[in-house]
Amino acid sequence: MKILITGGAGFIGSNFVHYWLEKHPEDKITVLDKLTYAGNLENLEPVKDKISFIKVDICDEEAVEKAINGIDTIVHFAAESHVDRSITGPDEFIRTNILGTHVLLKAALKNGIKKFHHVSTDEVFGQIPLESNEQWTETSPYNPRSPYAASKAASDHLVRAYFTTYGLPITITNCSNNFGPYHFPEKFIPLAITNILEGKKIPLYKPGNQVRDWLHVKDHCRAIDLVLQGGKAGETYLVGSQHKEYTNLDVAKMICAFLGVSEDMMEFVGDRPGHDVKYAIDASKIKNELGWQPEFEFEQWLKATVDWYKQNQVWWKRIKSGEYQEYYQQQYSKK
Ligand SMILES: NC(=O)c1ccc[n+]([C@@H]2O[C@H](COP(=O)([O-])OP(=O)(O)OC[C@H]3O[C@@H](n4cnc5c(N)ncnc54)[C@H](O)[C@@H]3O)[C@@H](O)[C@H]2O)c1
């Protein structure tokens, strides 16, 4: 397989590159990434000699066309992904997540790509009331509530339209919140861990009762692998862990306990506008049709994630100081 991974220098994309090289070492991987603030080539440092990397914006039609030449499979992670940033500056979300996805789809169609897998989010479905036991399925109606979720919803519709209208062999996964290594420390779990390690408090959006369906990033990578191997063209698969429900307050308390600090290290901050209270996924379709099961139990792997951040302080300190952005210049200016 000759596989193009967009957004492969980000959190999930880089985990996917590591995963894929381990499982399918015979395949040729090209990572295409614009290296926005969220893209960090240091995530790919351990495997840099086994992949090709190109610094390209998915909105750049000419560069995307060139990159796709000789590729048979695209796994599309590249996106603006932080809800808070979409509230303060939605334009870049519309540009990358909608227009960028469209540029890729056009190029994929023109070049006869055999598989186009689009990575999306459960946030397209909106929110579930806290007291409800509802879980989303592949037929749940779309009801996005943030500019991020709306831009991902639009991209999902475009991807499906390219299947229906032009027969492009697409698949989509909508998954719940991921956690694990290489998670950019502006997101809740890595921010909480790294703040404590720096002696700072964990900022928690009031009232801390928001429920997320935390999925370990390796379980997500395996789900995408199964969809690429056995998924049906045109189909969507929802991926969620269905562990017991944890509020953000529960998660912050666990992180304090793992790091041996008092719960006084948590502080409430003003809530995010339109903050979704709860997400929950029914992953029966991918379980029944493709045999996927989440393997990474939340509390055990949250502890492992805390340990990873303890052991990789250089990695996240270079992000927090901004130094990681010099890495591309150092590595690639020589070439
Ligand atoms: N993180 C989660 O919990 C989660 C959950 C569900 C779905 N998703 C989806 O998974 C995908 C990856 O999420 P993530 O958390 O790894 O995101 P991330 O923000 O960590 O990484 C995004 C990557 O895309 C790159 N990128 C951004 N704009 C680009 C552009 N115009 N051209 C090329 N590259 C560009 C960035 O440089 C970065 O490397 C996204 O599509 C996101 O919507 C994420």
Side-chain angles (χ1 to χ4, degrees), residues 6-14 32-40 56-59 76-82 92 95-97 100 118-123 148 152 173-179 182-184 186-187 214 220:
T6 73
F11 162 46
I12 306 175
S14 62
L32 180 157
D33 199 297
K34 183 183 174 185
L35 296 182
T36 66
Y37 80 92
N40 183 358
V56 164
D57 182 338
I58 54 167
C59 299
H76 176 34
F77 293 96
E80 287 293 334
S81 71
H82 191 39
E92 204 47 38
R95 198 185 84 88
T96 287
N97 299 1
H118 178 60
V119 179
S120 193
T121 168
D122 59 356
E123 298 189 31
Y148 163 66
K152 291 296 290 187
T173 42
N174 294 82
C175 82
S176 57
N177 288 60
N178 284 214
F179 71 103
Y182 299 115
H183 204 177
F184 197 84
E186 68 178 351
K187 303 276 173 80
W214 290 105
H220 184 191

Side-chain angles (χ1 to χ4, degrees), residues 13-312:
S14 62
N15 274 282
F16 186 76
V17 172
H18 290 273
Y19 168 93
W20 201 266
L21 281 169
E22 207 180 304
K23 292 276 170 180
H24 308 281
E26 67 288 358
D27 289 350
K28 287 213 166 358
I29 293 185
T30 301
V31 170
L32 180 157
D33 199 297
K34 183 183 174 185
L35 296 182
T36 66
Y37 80 92
N40 183 358
L41 269 186
E42 293 177 21
N43 300 358
L44 299 172
E45 170 67 28
V47 296
K48 67 173 194 258
D49 297 331
K50 297 182 180 159
I51 59 166
S52 307
F53 174 80
I54 41 173
K55 186 172 186 292
V56 164
D57 182 338
I58 54 167
C59 299
D60 179 342
E61 295 202 25
E62 214 181 302
V64 166
E65 274 275 336
K66 226 166 118 190
I68 278 186
N69 192 12
I71 294 290
D72 50 59
T73 301
I74 296 177
V75 184
H76 176 34
F77 293 96
E80 287 293 334
S81 71
H82 191 39
V83 176
D84 288 343
R85 287 180 187 253
S86 83
I87 293 167
T88 51
D91 299 57
E92 204 47 38
F93 287 71
I94 306 306
R95 198 185 84 88
T96 287
N97 299 1
I98 306 177
L99 299 178
T101 299
H102 188 234
V103 167
L104 275 177
L105 287 165
K106 271 199 297 185
L109 188 63
K110 196 169 159 193
N111 287 274
I113 290 295
K114 295 201 180 74
K115 284 181 187 173
F116 184 105
H117 183 72
H118 178 60
V119 179
S120 193
T121 168
D122 59 356
E123 298 189 31
V124 298
F125 301 115
Q127 66 170 351
I128 293 171
L130 272 182
E131 60 288 356
S132 164
N133 290 326
E134 186 198 340
Q135 291 185 323
W136 290 313
T137 69
E138 288 73 9
T139 56
S140 296
Y142 274 36
N143 184 22
R145 290 161 37 88
S146 69
Y148 163 66
S151 66
K152 291 296 290 187
S155 68
D156 291 6
H157 291 313
L158 271 173
V159 171
R160 279 198 202 106
Y162 264 70
F163 171 73
T164 312
T165 311
Y166 306 114
L168 184 71
I170 64 93
T171 43
I172 300 177
T173 42
N174 294 82
C175 82
S176 57
N177 288 60
N178 284 214
F179 71 103
Y182 299 115
H183 204 177
F184 197 84
E186 68 178 351
K187 303 276 173 80
F188 172 54
I189 287 181
L191 180 69
I193 300 169
T194 57
N195 270 15
I196 296 286
L197 291 173
E198 289 179 307
K200 296 183 197 155
K201 293 198 172 190
I202 301 176
L204 257 180
Y205 285 128
K206 273 181 199 160
N209 62 350
Q210 304 87 358
V211 173
R212 301 291 179 257
D213 185 1
W214 290 105
L215 176 73
H216 193 273
V217 65
K218 282 195 179 151
D219 276 330
H220 184 191
C221 293
R222 203 162 28 78
I224 297 172
D225 189 358
L226 287 171
V227 171
L228 283 171
Q229 309 299 327
K232 224 173 116 208
E235 292 292 312
T236 291
Y237 299 85
L238 263 52
V239 188
S241 64
Q242 290 173 298
H243 295 308
K244 78 179 214 224
E245 288 190 356
Y246 296 99
T247 64
N248 284 352
L249 186 60
D250 295 332
V251 175
K253 283 182 178 174
M254 281 184 229
I255 290 171
C256 288
F258 292 145
L259 289 169
V261 299
S262 139
E263 290 177 9
D264 292 344
M265 291 300 280
M266 305 184 298
E267 67 180 349
F268 285 106
V269 296
D271 201 4
R272 160 194 288 171
H275 202 165
D276 295 338
V277 287
K278 181 173 163 183
Y279 305 134
I281 278 182
D282 174 355
S284 302
K285 180 174 170 182
I286 190 165
K287 287 179 177 172
N288 296 337
E289 291 185 15
L290 303 176
W292 178 84
Q293 280 292 340
E295 288 175 358
F296 291 82
E297 191 275 325
F298 181 66
E299 290 187 34
Q300 181 191 348
W301 286 89
L302 180 63
K303 166 88 173 59
T305 302
V306 168
D307 291 343
W308 189 89
Y309 279 84
K310 273 163 79 176
Q311 285 151 15
N312 290 276

